[in-house]
Amino acid sequence: MNLLDDSLPSDLVAAGGIGAALRARFGALARYAAQAGADGILFTCSAFGAAIEAAAEQAGVPTLKPNGAMFEEALDACATLGRSGRIGMVSSFAPSVGSMREELEAIARRRGIECSLRVACPPGALEALAQGRVQEHDALVGAAAQELRDSDILMLGQFSMAHLRERIAADTSLPVLSSPDSAVRLLRKSVDPASSLPS
């Protein structure tokens, strides 16, 4: 089941931050999903971490932020290096970068893993995608990924980039994580630990 409120990103920009009204909307979405029979909830916009955390307390079912699982997997990779890991992230929605950085750093501190994060935000990529210029979006994201080739692992910061994971991995010769792939793996385990569904 998919619930879409596509005005949330623009409303966040207009509001200048996550306030009570946006938190209430996320709570309403989570409660609706749970009441409709969802066994788990995955929110897909990376700029609303605090609102999603508040909604999770109301949902009564496993509720994930979009990037938490991807961050955990990136840190798993860093933990094997024997040195501070270099994580690269491409984000097409600049307002999400601050909260994503804070979330990654908080998880790293909790786990005692040293890492650094570099972010590339390709100007115009999200606008191109919104206007149906998918090839332009993909080219801009691919070029941004090339700027991060000295990383140990790359993350794609928006769900809308997930279709580029294999292509960017081939072009950069780096392991590449996408938020939906990582999140779905974790949500499957959260909802049904014995799940045998493929990753």
Side-chain angles (χ1 to χ4, degrees):
M1 175 176 66
N2 298 290
L3 302 177
L4 175 64
D5 184 345
D6 59 2
S7 69
L8 283 166
S10 58
D11 290 345
L12 173 63
V13 172
I18 298 174
L22 285 173
R23 289 175 187 265
R25 286 167 66 182
F26 273 81
L29 286 167
R31 291 192 303 274
Y32 179 89
Q35 290 164 6
D39 296 311
I41 299 170
L42 171 61
F43 281 97
T44 62
C45 186
S46 52
F48 294 96
I52 296 168
E53 289 172 2
E57 297 177 1
Q58 306 173 39
V61 297
T63 301
L64 301 185
K65 293 185 284 187
N67 296 306
M70 179 175 69
F71 294 161
E72 295 280 6
E73 290 184 357
L75 291 170
D76 287 343
C78 290
T80 68
L81 296 173
R83 57 169 172 77
S84 179
R86 301 181 303 252
I87 300 174
M89 181 172 71
V90 181
S91 175
S92 58
F93 186 52
S96 71
V97 171
S99 62
M100 292 168 72
R101 182 184 295 276
E102 290 173 4
E103 183 180 354
L104 174 65
E105 291 175 349
I107 296 171
R109 285 193 301 271
R110 172 175 55 78
R111 296 184 56 183
I113 296 173
E114 293 187 7
C115 68
S116 60
L117 175 66
R118 289 180 56 214
V119 181
C121 293
L126 195 61
E127 292 78 8
L129 186 63
Q131 295 169 14
R133 303 194 309 274
V134 177
Q135 289 185 337
E136 180 182 343
H137 164 271
D138 292 357
L140 290 168
V141 171
Q146 291 293 331
E147 298 174 13
L148 303 169
R149 289 188 68 175
D150 60 346
S151 304
D152 296 304
I153 190 164
L154 281 179
M155 304 186 302
L156 303 179
Q158 273 70 49
F159 275 43
S160 53
M161 299 179 191
H163 67 285
L164 294 170
R165 185 180 63 80
E166 292 184 2
R167 171 176 154 185
I168 289 175
D171 289 346
T172 62
S173 299
L174 290 172
V176 178
L177 297 174
S178 74
S179 41
D181 290 328
S182 299
V184 168
R185 281 191 287 269
L186 178 58
L187 193 59
R188 284 174 173 165
K189 293 177 184 176
S190 300
V191 170
D192 180 8
S195 172
S196 60
L197 290 171
S199 298

